[in-house]
């Protein structure tokens, strides 16, 4: 996934584009490039570098050249290593057409060979460069931007958001969208285009999402929007009251640490936002009391939540099957949510990996819904799964942190995660927010189906308030030990095994993902019950085994025997356990012990201290914690 920003208008474009690129660095930060029509030299001028937008901006700041139309790109490499040649923009052979691209071009090798046979010279190893040479050859034939574009989109397959700048047409930007998000912005002095509205949200009066399979030809005073057949379309402009939330670290060393500490507030806000408030309810001791009053909703909200989800009461009351689909950390939240829906709402629930779902047979089930979890609302795998389900006319519901995202635009309804912008690539507060919302939703459905009483609904809300305090307190209780020796000690290991069982297994998966994605230490998660079927061969004192306990008595006993299997083979055992689980605690080389909570919320209770432990281990390895190598915050390519 990459970030694209373009501007054309009466203002100089350099700072506007670079500022927008800085805001899109979450989409990719391998390399960055900027190209504009130089108003003095009347030619395309550009600079592209590996590394961050800040580095690029610093180099550009020594030149005073500028222009009124320009495009920028932040790259997350899909094809071609990270180097300057593979950074965008890419140019045609004459160097008078510049192009930036986000997505993946399928069969680009055959296209490249076709173009090389026609005499085109390639400077990069990327799939994107094929686009500019192909467009240029079509433009030479048709002498028309529109005709060349319509021919281009007939030929190329894959996912692409493209912006093109043509030297001989300095007052024009060409924009193409297929399976990769782009949004237009309109202000009095000109127009923006970007991969995400946050690139320009506070600089425009209105914004409009580019429809799927559409082309925009933008001049300084107007936009012409077409579909891929050349038929005119009308942009659906929305007022941009999206004041840019200039997220700062607020004094924390990393965004990840800040977001770990925001989790209590996020959970409290979610409970207050979605809570049913009757006369007898007391508001939480949340420091968001003001918000709680603002968000408190009357009993009729019950209906409104279904309207928000785009579900009729009838659909909810007849629900027989719930399907959850996501990727990465969001998928781990779904695996935990499955226990909520099956034990609270008593509805059979399946969980699918988005990247697998589209390649499995689809069985349309009566009275079923699909819920898609995505912090960004842009993950390509999850979006493709949503589109497939939608094509079968099955209700699609999204739970996301970005109400302006593509998934929200394309779903039947959505629930906002209320977590605030999550900047660090490693997902932390989103994971807690997702668990909290799924817990509330499972209880709401149970209430609707009269499987629980209003009082039980309210105690479920209180349970969440309690767990948010336990989550924060666990970090405080272990912060000193982790920061003064424990993290140092555990940063010395080069491989880990994480174990869990039943509802604690997704927690083991999440912990393993957190550790590997920011520290680069190899970490394998495994169902504890499977250990004896092979992986136990890995157990020795050089590989810490981290086991997440559970509060279900039977499961706890099973986990205890798994822990004994580890210790019987001189394994090194770290446990996340609960008060009273003294046998397990006594077995461990190190034990994090938390107060007992609602058994279904045991993973949520452990979430913060697990994340803090992984964060501190990683800090000792000197990794770029907020922007790990090879990763990006939103994976908008399949
Ligand atoms: C988690 O730390 C990662 N950043 C990654 O697994 C992420 O959860 C996944 O890419 C899904 O992203 P989404 O929630 O925005 O769809």
């Amino acid at each position: 996934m990459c970030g694209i920003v373009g501007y054309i208008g009466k203002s100089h474009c350099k700072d506007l584009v670079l500022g927008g690129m800085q805001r899109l660095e979450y989409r990719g930060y391998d390399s960055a490039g900027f190209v504009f029509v130089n108003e003095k030299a009347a030619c395309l001028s550009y600079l592209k570098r590996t590394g961050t937008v800040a580095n690029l901006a610093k180099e550009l700041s020594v030149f005073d050249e500028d222009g009124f139309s320009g495009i920028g790109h932040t790259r997350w490499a899909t094809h071609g290593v990270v180097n300057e040649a593979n950074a965008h923009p890419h140019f045609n052979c004459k160097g008078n057409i510049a192009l930036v691209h986000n997505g993946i071009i399928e069969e680009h090798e055959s296209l490249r060979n076709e173009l090389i046979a026609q005499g085109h010279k390639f400077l990069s190893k990327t799939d994107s460069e094929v686009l500019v040479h192909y467009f240029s050859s079509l433009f030479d034939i048709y002498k028309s931007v529109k005709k060349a574009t319509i021919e281009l989109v007939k030929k190329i397959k894959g996912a692409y958001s493209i912006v093109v700048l043509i030297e001989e047409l300095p007052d024009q930007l060409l924009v193409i969208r297929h399976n990769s998000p782009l949004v237009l912005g309109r202000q009095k002095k000109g127009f923006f285009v970007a991969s995400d509205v946050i690139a320009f949200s506070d600089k425009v009066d209105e914004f409009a999402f580019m429809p799927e399979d559409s082309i925009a030809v933008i001049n300084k005073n107007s936009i012409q929007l077409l579909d891929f057949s050349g038929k005119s379309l009308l942009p659906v402009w929305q007022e941009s009251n999206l004041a840019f939330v200039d997220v700062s670290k607020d004094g924390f060393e990393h965004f990840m640490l800040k977001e770990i500490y925001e989790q209590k507030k996020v959970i409290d806000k979610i409970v207050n936002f979605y809570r049913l408030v009757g006369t007898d309810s007391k508001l939480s001791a949340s420091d968001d009391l003001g918000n709680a009053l603002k968000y408190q909703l009357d009993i009729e909200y019950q209906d409104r939540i279904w309207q928000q989800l785009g579900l009729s009461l009838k659909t909810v009351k007849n629900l027989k099957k719930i399907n959850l689909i996501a990727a990465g950390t969001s998928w781990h939240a779904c695996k935990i949510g499955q226990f909520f829906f099956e034990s609270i709402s008593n509805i059979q629930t399946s969980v699918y990996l988005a990247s697998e779902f589209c390649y499995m047979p689809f069985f349309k089930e009566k009275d079923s819904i699909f819920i898609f979890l995505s912090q960004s609302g842009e993950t390509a795998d999850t979006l493709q799964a949503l589109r497939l389900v939608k094509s079968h006319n099955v209700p699609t519901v999204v739970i996301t942190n970005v109400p302006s995202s593509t998934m929200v635009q394309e779903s039947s309804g959505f629930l906002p995660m209320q977590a605030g912008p999550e900047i660090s690539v490693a997902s932390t507060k989103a994971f807690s927010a997702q668990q909290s919302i799924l817990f509330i939703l499972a209880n709401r459905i149970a209430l609707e189906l009269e499987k629980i009483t209003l009082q039980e609904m309210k105690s479920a809300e209180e349970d969440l308030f309690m767990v948010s305090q336990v989550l924060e307190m666990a970090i405080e209780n272990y912060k000193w030990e982790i920061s003064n020796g424990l993290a140092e000690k555990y940063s010395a290991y080069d491989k880990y095994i994480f174990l869990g069982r039943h509802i604690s297994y997704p927690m083991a998966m999440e912990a393993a993902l957190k550790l590997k994605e920011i520290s680069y230490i190899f970490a394998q998660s495994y169902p504890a019950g499977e250990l004896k079927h092979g992986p136990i061969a890995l157990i020795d004192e050089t590989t810490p085994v981290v086991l997440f306990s559970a509060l279900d008595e039977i499961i706890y006993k099973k986990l205890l025997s798994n822990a004994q299997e580890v210790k019987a083979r001189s394994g090194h055992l770290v446990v996340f356990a609960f008060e009273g689980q003294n046998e397990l605690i006594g077995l461990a080389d190190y034990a994090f012990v938390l107060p007992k909570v609602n058994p279904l919320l045991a993973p949520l209770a452990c979430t913060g201290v697990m994340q803090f432990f992984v964060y501190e281990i990683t800090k000792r390895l000197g990794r770029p914690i907020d922007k790990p190598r090879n990763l990006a915050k939103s994976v908008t390519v399949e």
Side-chain angles (χ1 to χ4, degrees):
M1 62 311 313
C2 306
I4 291 176
V5 185
Y7 174 80
I8 184 164
K10 301 182 182 69
S11 308
H12 274 152
C13 65
K14 182 161 71 172
D15 291 345
L16 290 172
V17 171
L18 290 171
M21 288 164 67
Q22 228 120 22
R23 296 177 178 186
L24 297 191
E25 268 198 315
Y26 73 90
R27 304 174 66 86
Y29 37 85
D30 296 331
S31 47
F34 169 62
V35 58
F36 62 103
V37 178
N38 186 319
E39 61 174 323
K40 284 190 190 129
C43 68
L44 290 181
S45 297
Y46 78 96
L47 185 67
K48 54 186 189 176
R49 290 282 185 271
T50 56
T52 63
V53 174
N55 293 343
L56 183 80
K58 199 156 156 245
E59 268 202 71
L60 281 167
S61 64
V62 298
F63 307 104
D64 59 6
E65 279 99 335
D66 207 329
F68 298 102
S69 53
I71 48 182
H73 184 274
T74 61
R75 184 175 183 238
W76 179 76
T78 52
H79 295 79
V81 297
V82 178
N83 63 21
E84 219 163 274
N86 290 336
H88 299 215
H90 294 292
F91 294 86
N92 63 337
C93 299
K94 292 179 205 151
N96 60 3
I97 297 178
L99 176 143
V100 296
H101 163 239
N102 176 31
I104 285 186
I105 302 303
E106 291 169 11
E107 298 159 23
H108 64 93
E109 295 90 348
S110 57
L111 269 174
R112 173 189 280 257
N113 296 335
E114 201 182 304
L115 290 159
I116 289 171
Q118 291 168 18
H120 290 268
K121 297 272 180 290
F122 282 77
L123 303 176
S124 82
K125 296 290 182 217
T126 64
D127 55 338
S128 307
E129 192 183 356
V130 162
L131 296 167
V132 68
H133 289 291
Y134 203 78
F135 174 78
S136 175
S137 59
L138 292 168
F139 187 56
D140 288 345
I141 297 165
Y142 294 100
K143 305 291 181 218
S144 153
V145 168
K146 280 183 226 164
K147 281 193 183 143
T149 307
I150 289 168
E151 287 310 308
L152 178 76
V153 297
K154 283 178 190 164
K155 178 81 179 180
I156 52 175
K157 296 190 196 65
Y160 48 87
S161 42
I162 298 168
V163 183
V164 181
L165 201 46
I166 303 166
E167 191 169 83
E168 60 185 85
L169 297 168
D171 294 341
Q172 193 175 94
L173 281 185
L174 168 64
V175 183
I176 313 170
R177 182 220 156 137
H178 170 68
N179 261 348
S180 175
L182 275 175
V183 58
L184 304 168
R186 177 161 74 175
Q187 51 158 226
K188 291 181 182 53
K189 298 179 85 176
F191 295 91
F192 286 85
V193 57
S195 311
D196 184 331
V197 68
I198 62 167
F200 54 64
S201 53
D202 54 339
K203 295 195 169 42
V204 298
D205 308 315
E206 296 169 300
F207 66 92
F209 294 107
M210 286 273 288
E212 184 54 6
D213 293 353
S214 61
I215 300 161
V217 179
I218 311 177
N219 297 307
K220 283 188 175 177
N221 306 305
S222 65
I223 288 185
Q224 206 184 1
L225 194 61
L226 312 164
D227 66 15
F228 277 7
S229 70
K231 192 159 71 57
S232 285
L233 298 171
L234 271 181
V236 179
W237 292 104
Q238 306 175 48
E239 193 190 332
S240 171
N241 46 22
L242 301 158
F244 177 66
V245 180
D246 187 9
V247 188
S248 70
K249 291 181 198 159
D250 289 347
F252 286 92
E253 191 176 349
H254 296 100
F255 278 111
M256 183 175 176
L257 187 59
K258 177 189 173 206
E259 289 152 9
I260 287 171
Y261 273 103
E262 284 181 333
Q263 293 180 104
K264 176 185 180 308
K265 202 166 179 178
V266 165
I267 296 167
D268 292 348
K269 182 173 179 183
I270 287 166
V271 181
N272 285 318
F273 183 81
Y274 286 104
R275 81 178 309 180
L276 279 179
V277 179
T279 46
D280 59 340
S281 75
K282 62 185 186 317
L283 289 169
S284 78
S286 151
D287 50 8
D288 264 355
L289 199 52
N291 270 350
L293 292 169
K294 191 164 63 137
Y295 284 124
Q296 82 172 19
L297 304 150
D298 58 27
I299 206 86
E300 276 68 57
Y301 184 73
Q302 180 76 351
D303 299 346
R304 274 192 258 145
I305 191 169
W306 308 128
Q307 287 162 9
Q308 171 79 18
L309 284 170
L311 300 176
S312 68
L313 258 185
K314 183 168 169 283
T315 305
V316 178
K317 287 188 180 303
N318 293 332
L319 260 183
K320 301 284 182 305
K321 177 75 185 303
I322 294 173
N323 302 287
L324 305 171
I325 301 187
T329 288
S330 300
W331 180 70
H332 297 151
C334 291
K335 295 291 279 182
I336 293 172
Q338 179 178 16
F339 289 94
F340 301 162
F341 290 114
E342 293 196 334
S343 51
I344 302 170
S345 320
N346 196 22
I347 295 176
Q348 190 193 0
T349 302
S350 298
V351 180
Y352 300 98
L353 269 177
S355 54
E356 297 287 329
F357 183 76
C358 296
Y359 311 100
M360 300 154 74
F362 183 82
F363 298 103
K364 187 166 181 178
E365 296 165 299
K366 208 167 149 348
D367 301 327
S368 71
I369 60 167
F370 278 78
I371 302 175
F372 300 84
L373 260 68
S374 175
Q375 190 285 133
S376 63
E378 299 295 349
T379 299
D381 291 328
T382 313
L383 184 58
Q384 293 314 317
L386 186 154
R387 286 172 175 167
L388 185 143
V389 170
K390 209 173 148 186
S391 69
H392 290 279
N393 296 320
V394 175
T396 54
V397 165
V398 167
I399 296 177
T400 182
N401 206 24
V402 185
S404 61
S405 62
T406 305
M407 277 184 219
V408 170
Q409 296 160 53
E410 300 194 13
S411 65
S412 322
F414 84 101
L415 291 183
M417 282 168 48
Q418 301 290 326
E422 186 178 68
I423 306 301
S424 187
V425 166
S427 200
T428 49
K429 61 179 181 175
F431 181 54
S432 304
Q434 288 165 340
Q435 291 180 69
S436 305
I437 290 186
L438 290 172
F439 182 72
I440 288 170
L441 186 56
N443 278 282
R444 276 294 173 78
I445 291 171
L447 182 65
E448 206 61 58
L449 301 179
E450 296 173 14
K451 294 190 190 305
I452 64 170
T453 64
L454 186 58
Q455 193 44 51
E456 283 165 321
M457 177 76 230
K458 291 192 180 311
S459 57
E461 291 165 350
E462 294 309 318
D463 285 349
L464 272 174
F465 281 133
M466 202 260 268
V467 168
S468 76
Q469 294 181 61
V470 168
L471 182 148
E472 187 159 273
M473 193 181 67
I475 297 173
E476 289 315 306
N477 288 350
Y478 288 98
K479 179 176 179 180
W480 193 88
E481 279 186 78
I482 290 173
S483 310
N484 293 279
L486 204 65
E488 191 67 44
K489 173 182 172 185
Y490 284 99
S491 64
Y493 291 98
D494 62 3
K495 53 190 184 311
Y496 278 76
I497 293 175
F498 288 81
L499 299 178
R501 194 157 185 162
H502 191 260
I503 198 169
S504 81
Y505 173 43
M507 196 58 201
M509 291 195 274
E510 175 58 14
L513 175 63
K514 283 286 104 37
L515 183 66
K516 62 185 136 193
E517 71 174 321
I518 63 171
S519 72
Y520 316 152
I521 295 174
F522 182 79
Q524 161 94 37
S525 58
Y526 228 86
E530 283 297 297
L531 193 66
K532 54 188 175 296
H533 299 295
I536 202 161
L538 295 173
I539 302 297
D540 63 25
E541 64 288 345
T542 69
T543 310
V545 175
V546 182
L547 181 143
F548 288 88
S549 185
L551 281 165
D552 173 290
E553 208 38 48
I554 297 169
I555 301 298
Y556 166 67
K557 289 267 183 279
K558 296 290 181 191
L559 280 162
L560 181 57
S561 59
N562 297 141
Q564 283 154 347
E565 289 160 17
V566 170
K567 290 308 288 177
R569 289 155 183 82
S570 63
H572 183 99
L573 182 67
V574 175
V575 301
F576 287 78
F578 297 90
E579 283 162 2
Q581 297 184 334
N582 300 326
E583 285 175 283
L584 178 62
I585 295 164
L587 267 179
D589 296 280
Y590 190 83
F592 294 97
V593 183
L594 286 84
K596 291 193 173 184
V597 294
N598 175 327
L600 290 171
L601 297 175
L604 185 54
C606 303
T607 295
V609 67
M610 173 278 283
Q611 294 162 343
F612 184 77
F613 185 38
V614 167
Y615 169 82
E616 286 293 325
I617 288 173
T618 304
K619 240 176 81 174
R620 277 141 191 85
L621 300 173
R623 304 287 191 223
I625 288 177
D626 284 333
K627 295 180 176 176
R629 69 184 180 193
N630 308 343
L631 291 184
K633 185 62 183 169
S634 170
V635 186
T636 59
V637 289
E638 280 191 75

